[in-house]
């Protein structure tokens, strides 16, 4: 049996009741997304265990975070994880589907590690399939609804498979969004990128791209990856 929890430097994440466990994608997004240092309002779409919300709360001690999660068990576990963390007073967990979520306020940052499998064979576990496949939250709908909730200078940050690059290009062009930062993630030296981290803005700001290699050819964490995650991994 796999470990029912994952220990980080400042908090623990239990994931035994969640369809999607703590994984590299969530850690990358939480460590990579620009969070600033001033007070800001953040929305985490598809909160899962609460991992990304807690990472952002650790990095920005002034951030107020809403975390939306459609799955009841995951929502309850996120509440427990966050409640035991040092950030419980700044993270609000909401049990609701994102397309139905409506907030009275605007967000400076909307972040998501979304379901992104569109045509692959589904897992018999319905909860795991819902967490992995985009039937209920296609990328276009995610971005469109997020746009409605962004503040004037707000940003959207996502982690996606490289196969969705073309679709994202179409979506951003349609909605007049700008891709201001992209990091292609290479799992190990000598391999091709499988994921990319992307930051979107309603403002036409200078864009930049870079690469992040996670492991050496000997399957050890690269110095680059260690530096990115040094405040979290033990």
């Amino acid at each position: 049996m796999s470990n029912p929890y994952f220990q980080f430097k400042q908090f623990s994440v239990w994931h035994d009741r969640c369809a999607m466990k703590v994984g590299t994608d969530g850690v990358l997004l939480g460590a990579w997304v620009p969070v600033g240092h001033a007070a800001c309002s953040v929305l985490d779409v598809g909160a899962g265990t609460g991992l990304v919300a807690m990472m952002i709360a650790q990095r920005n001690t002034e951030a107020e975070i809403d975390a939306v999660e459609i799955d009841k068990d995951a929502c309850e576990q996120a509440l427990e994880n966050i409640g035991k963390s040092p950030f419980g007073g700044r993270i609000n967990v909401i049990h609701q589907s994102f397309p139905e979520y409506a907030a009275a306020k605007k967000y400076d940052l909307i972040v998501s590690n979304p379901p992104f499998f569109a045509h692959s064979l589904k897992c018999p576990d319905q909860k795991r399939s819902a967490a992995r496949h985009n039937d209920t939250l296609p990328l276009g709908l995610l971005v469109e609804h997020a746009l409605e909730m962004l503040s004037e200078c707000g940003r959207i940050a996502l982690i996606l498979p490289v196969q969705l690059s073309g679709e994202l290009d179409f979506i951003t062009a349609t909605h007049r969004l700008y891709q201001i930062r992209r990091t292609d993630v290479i799992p190990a030296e000598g391999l091709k990128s499988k994921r990319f981290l992307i930051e979107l803005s309603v403002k036409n700001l200078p864009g930049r791209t870079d690469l992040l290699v996670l492991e050496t050819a000997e399957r050890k964490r690269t110095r680059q990856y260690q530096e990115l995650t040094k405040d979290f991994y033990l």
Side-chain angles (χ1 to χ4, degrees):
M1 181 179 176
S2 61
N3 198 327
Y5 72 94
F6 198 100
Q7 184 65 50
F8 292 91
K9 285 185 176 180
Q10 294 193 27
F11 56 88
S12 300
V13 182
W14 288 79
H15 54 194
D16 53 301
R17 295 168 57 195
C18 292
M20 294 303 294
K21 311 304 182 186
V22 171
T24 302
D25 285 358
V27 173
L28 286 175
L29 182 61
W32 176 90
V33 59
V35 297
H37 300 289
C40 65
S41 58
V42 181
L43 176 63
D44 179 14
V45 178
T49 60
L51 168 64
V52 174
M54 287 187 286
M55 291 180 74
I56 292 174
Q58 177 180 322
R59 294 177 57 209
N60 184 335
T61 58
E62 301 297 321
E64 298 288 338
I65 304 163
D66 291 331
V68 177
E69 173 55 53
I70 189 173
D71 182 76
K72 183 175 182 292
D73 286 337
C75 188
E76 290 176 353
Q77 189 145 61
L79 278 167
E80 293 172 3
N81 287 330
I82 291 165
K84 294 175 182 177
S85 78
F87 325 112
R90 294 190 287 118
I91 304 174
N92 177 37
V93 180
I94 302 156
H95 179 211
Q96 193 171 22
S97 71
F98 181 56
E100 295 175 344
Y101 177 67
K105 61 182 175 183
K106 297 291 185 180
Y107 293 99
D108 302 309
L109 172 65
I110 297 178
V111 61
S112 183
N113 175 14
F116 47 62
F117 291 104
H119 305 294
S120 57
L121 184 65
K122 293 189 176 181
C123 169
D125 185 330
Q126 292 184 353
K127 287 188 176 183
R128 185 168 171 81
S129 284
R132 289 167 58 88
H133 292 78
N134 66 6
D135 300 44
T136 57
L137 190 58
L139 182 58
L141 178 58
L142 168 61
V143 173
E144 184 176 351
H145 194 44
L147 266 174
E148 297 173 0
M149 300 186 187
L150 277 186
S151 64
E152 185 177 350
C153 296
R155 294 163 292 123
I156 300 170
L158 310 167
I159 184 165
L160 297 168
V162 293
Q163 295 92 330
L164 289 184
S165 290
E167 182 177 348
L168 182 66
D169 290 343
F170 176 80
I171 291 168
T172 53
T174 300
H175 294 288
R176 296 183 180 179
L177 272 169
Y178 299 93
Q179 301 184 26
I180 60 173
R181 185 186 178 205
R182 173 172 171 147
T183 297
D184 285 281
V185 180
I186 297 173
E189 292 174 344
L191 300 180
K192 293 182 179 180
S193 172
K194 292 186 177 181
R195 299 277 190 274
F196 67 98
L197 293 146
I198 192 77
E199 183 183 0
L200 309 174
S201 174
V202 294
K203 299 289 186 180
N204 187 7
L205 302 172
R208 60 190 178 100
T209 60
D210 54 22
L211 295 174
L212 171 63
V213 181
L214 302 185
E215 294 183 344
T216 66
E218 293 76 27
R219 292 298 190 266
K220 294 182 179 180
R221 288 178 188 165
T222 62
R223 185 173 299 178
Q224 185 185 21
Y225 186 26
Q226 291 178 34
E227 181 65 23
L228 179 66
T229 57
K230 65 182 180 181
D231 292 333
F232 300 99
Y233 282 144
L234 292 172

